[in-house]
Amino acid sequence: MDDSANTSKVNTMDSPLPPAEAAAARVPLQRLKDSICRTIRGKDEVVERVLICLLAGGHVLLEDAPGVGKTTLAYALARAVDCSFSRIQFTSDLLPSDVTGVSIYDERDRQFQFKPGPVFANIVLADEINRATPKTQSALLEVMDRARVTLDGQTHVVGSPFLVFATQNPVDYEGTFPLPESQLDRFLMRLHMGYPSADFELEILRSSRTGYDSIAIEPVVHGREIVALQAAAHRIFLEESVAEYILRLVDATRREPAFRTGVSVRGGIALRQAAQARALLAGRSYVLPEDVAELAPAVFVHRISPRRGSQDLRDERNAVEERIRQIIAEITPPQ
């Protein structure tokens, strides 16, 4: 079988994106990134990865201590993109119907009418998602996977683009519930915000802004443009050897003795989509092995279950991420 036949196995859905279109796509994406970075100071890498999730059509889980700017980042993204936005504050008494919506009987029409919940928006901020019970968390499973909600036998499709931006406090904080593995697997990336540098924190202290809702950001990209850019990202060329490189990384996590479970099939697909989105963000029409290696830790870390030890959960996660980086270093990328 010739090389073109092998390549077609990777790019079967759409024709590859022409280089000129990839270069043109970088202009609105850079405008969007610059707009957000003017508000979220000193966190360019985190902003870039959130945009990669948006381009790839995936969802992002941002975990960190309270008060480091997680909600502000989500709000800045929503303001910079001209599309609908909703915020759901997850608490222990939140019900699944408070998220997805509810059917209410209309006595005049003598039939049930569906009242959409806050999940019916283009960008949904699931704030402190792990403060809700597992039952309420599971209300997001279908909509994150299929962009739809099924209630009383009726299917309701959410808008496009659709991004769940979930924030959570570290799981060993009081009043939190760990997200189940099936929920974690639906997030494209798990990111950490971290504290700003001293210089940028001094800028924050000097500013008069008191909360995220006082952010003054004008929309720089329309939702329709995001949908078109997502379609372009799916057309980024993935050479056969790079696809095999992704598979080798995924397989290595499954054979790693320190891990109870490795990366799922969905995880491998997620890494491919993230690498394609990173290439488009850089204005390239093809994926490089560096795209894969750079994003693999953030795509893999929440999909791996370690063999339980005596260390606390945060040390355990750090150990998993460190081992993922070692695996990446041990596997030779394609030339």
Side-chain angles (χ1 to χ4, degrees):
M1 188 175 289
D2 61 21
D3 289 341
S4 62
N6 286 335
T7 300
S8 67
K9 293 180 182 178
V10 182
N11 296 277
T12 55
M13 294 184 63
D14 298 293
S15 59
L17 189 72
E21 290 187 31
R26 191 174 187 274
V27 176
L29 290 173
Q30 189 62 46
R31 189 166 65 242
L32 178 58
K33 180 181 176 182
D34 291 344
S35 176
I36 299 172
C37 287
R38 281 193 290 270
T39 298
I40 309 298
R41 305 286 288 161
K43 295 298 177 182
D44 291 20
E45 182 179 307
V46 177
V47 171
E48 179 178 296
R49 295 193 175 187
V50 169
L51 293 181
I52 287 171
C53 290
L54 179 64
L55 279 176
H59 310 288
V60 59
L61 177 63
L62 193 57
E63 180 185 277
D64 223 314
V68 296
K70 302 186 298 295
T71 303
T72 303
L73 173 55
Y75 193 75
L77 172 64
R79 293 293 298 269
V81 179
D82 187 14
C83 59
S84 61
F85 169 73
S86 70
R87 176 178 182 263
I88 309 172
Q89 182 62 57
F90 278 71
T91 56
S92 59
D93 59 348
L94 192 73
L95 299 175
S97 59
D98 296 329
V99 176
T100 59
V102 64
S103 291
I104 300 176
Y105 185 72
D106 190 326
E107 292 186 355
R108 292 176 299 176
D109 297 336
R110 294 188 178 182
Q111 60 183 0
F112 284 93
Q113 299 289 338
F114 177 67
K115 301 296 182 183
V119 78
F120 284 84
N122 296 120
I123 298 178
V124 178
L125 170 59
D127 213 3
E128 297 186 304
I129 187 174
N130 60 336
R131 290 200 178 277
T133 62
K135 181 178 180 180
T136 301
Q137 292 174 12
S138 65
L140 289 171
L141 289 176
E142 182 186 16
V143 71
M144 289 178 66
D145 193 35
R146 299 296 182 185
R148 68 190 186 193
V149 171
T150 302
L151 189 67
D152 297 330
Q154 298 294 319
T155 298
H156 310 275
V157 180
V158 299
S160 184
F162 178 65
L163 169 73
V164 173
F165 191 116
T167 70
Q168 73 169 8
N169 298 323
V171 294
D172 49 356
Y173 273 44
E174 189 145 345
T176 61
F177 300 87
L179 270 64
E181 293 173 359
S182 58
Q183 181 83 60
L184 288 171
D185 201 34
R186 282 164 170 78
F187 287 102
L188 186 74
M189 290 191 206
R190 183 178 190 168
L191 305 175
H192 296 275
M193 195 80 174
Y195 292 108
S197 66
D199 291 341
F200 288 121
E201 190 163 6
L202 187 59
E203 283 187 31
I204 296 171
L205 291 172
R206 285 170 174 164
S207 71
S208 59
R209 197 176 73 213
T210 57
Y212 69 88
D213 51 354
S214 63
I215 297 173
I217 298 181
E218 293 296 323
V220 296
V221 177
H222 196 276
R224 292 190 301 271
E225 291 181 84
I226 295 296
V227 173
L229 290 167
Q230 289 176 337
H234 289 307
R235 294 171 59 199
I236 293 293
F237 179 73
L238 184 74
E239 204 272 331
E240 183 74 13
S241 63
V242 181
E244 292 173 352
Y245 178 49
I246 293 174
L247 182 59
R248 280 186 286 145
L249 292 174
V250 169
D251 185 61
T253 67
R254 297 169 183 170
R255 293 184 287 104
E256 170 57 45
F259 300 156
R260 180 167 57 86
T261 59
V263 173
S264 65
V265 175
R266 184 189 280 120
I269 296 171
L271 182 54
R272 183 205 75 204
Q273 293 172 330
Q276 289 175 308
R278 186 176 190 264
L280 185 65
L281 194 61
R284 280 185 278 109
S285 61
Y286 52 89
V287 174
L288 292 173
E290 293 81 45
D291 297 320
V292 175
E294 180 68 26
L295 298 177
V299 175
F300 283 178
V301 66
H302 56 291
R303 292 181 162 90
I304 290 174
S305 298
R307 298 194 183 280
R308 299 295 179 185
S310 57
Q311 55 190 348
D312 68 33
L313 292 176
R314 273 183 284 187
D315 288 341
E316 197 173 71
R317 285 195 304 274
N318 291 338
V320 168
E321 188 166 354
E322 178 60 30
R323 183 61 191 126
I324 292 172
R325 296 187 184 279
Q326 291 171 0
I327 288 172
I328 295 169
E330 292 166 2
I331 296 178
T332 304
Q335 299 298 314

